[in-house]
Amino acid sequence: MSFAECACRAAGLAARLGWRPDDFWAATPADLLNALGPPPEDEALGAAELRQLMERDDGR
Protein backbone atom coordinates (compact mmCIF):
# COMPACT_ATOMS: atom_id res chain seq x y z
CA MET A 1 0.00 0.00 0.00
CA SER A 2 1.38 3.41 -0.94
CA PHE A 3 1.75 6.39 1.37
CA ALA A 4 -1.09 8.13 -0.44
CA GLU A 5 -3.42 5.16 0.09
CA CYS A 6 -2.49 4.98 3.79
CA ALA A 7 -3.05 8.73 4.18
CA CYS A 8 -6.48 8.46 2.55
CA ARG A 9 -7.49 5.65 4.89
CA ALA A 10 -6.25 7.58 7.93
CA ALA A 11 -8.07 10.72 6.78
CA GLY A 12 -11.27 8.69 6.40
CA LEU A 13 -10.92 7.43 9.97
CA ALA A 14 -10.31 10.95 11.22
CA ALA A 15 -13.43 12.17 9.41
CA ARG A 16 -15.48 9.50 11.18
CA LEU A 17 -14.16 10.88 14.46
CA GLY A 18 -15.34 14.37 13.49
CA TRP A 19 -11.82 15.78 13.28
CA ARG A 20 -11.25 18.86 11.17
CA PRO A 21 -8.36 18.75 8.65
CA ASP A 22 -6.14 20.82 10.97
CA ASP A 23 -6.81 18.36 13.81
CA PHE A 24 -5.87 15.44 11.57
CA TRP A 25 -2.63 16.94 10.28
CA ALA A 26 -1.57 18.04 13.77
CA ALA A 27 -2.20 14.57 15.21
CA THR A 28 0.36 11.80 15.51
CA PRO A 29 -0.36 8.19 14.54
CA ALA A 30 -0.58 7.46 18.28
CA ASP A 31 -3.27 10.16 18.64
CA LEU A 32 -5.34 8.48 15.93
CA LEU A 33 -4.93 5.04 17.49
CA ASN A 34 -5.90 6.39 20.91
CA ALA A 35 -8.98 8.08 19.48
CA LEU A 36 -10.06 4.85 17.77
CA GLY A 37 -9.74 2.85 20.98
CA PRO A 38 -8.26 -0.58 21.57
CA PRO A 39 -8.47 -3.23 18.86
CA PRO A 40 -11.03 -6.00 19.21
CA GLU A 41 -9.80 -8.91 21.35
CA ASP A 42 -9.31 -11.18 18.35
CA GLU A 43 -6.99 -8.60 16.74
CA ALA A 44 -4.99 -7.72 19.85
CA LEU A 45 -1.35 -8.78 20.00
CA GLY A 46 -0.83 -11.41 22.68
CA ALA A 47 2.20 -11.75 24.96
CA ALA A 48 3.46 -14.87 23.17
CA GLU A 49 3.16 -13.16 19.77
CA LEU A 50 4.98 -10.08 21.06
CA ARG A 51 7.78 -12.22 22.51
CA GLN A 52 8.13 -14.08 19.19
CA LEU A 53 8.35 -10.82 17.24
CA MET A 54 10.91 -9.40 19.65
CA GLU A 55 13.07 -12.54 19.38
CA ARG A 56 12.81 -12.55 15.59
CA ASP A 57 13.84 -8.90 15.28
CA ASP A 58 16.51 -9.05 18.01
CA GLY A 59 19.18 -10.11 15.52
CA ARG A 60 18.92 -6.97 13.40
Side-chain angles (χ1 to χ4, degrees):
M1 184 177 302
S2 71
F3 173 80
E5 291 167 328
C6 289
C8 284
R9 291 177 104 184
L13 291 172
R16 288 186 200 159
L17 294 170
W19 290 7
R20 296 170 299 148
D22 288 343
D23 298 330
F24 171 74
W25 290 111
T28 65
D31 293 332
L32 183 56
L33 288 174
N34 286 332
L36 293 172
E41 281 296 317
D42 59 338
E43 293 181 22
L45 186 64
E49 250 182 321
L50 177 58
R51 197 176 312 94
Q52 183 181 27
L53 290 170
M54 290 170 64
E55 288 170 1
R56 185 192 76 192
D57 292 337
D58 192 35
R60 286 186 179 199

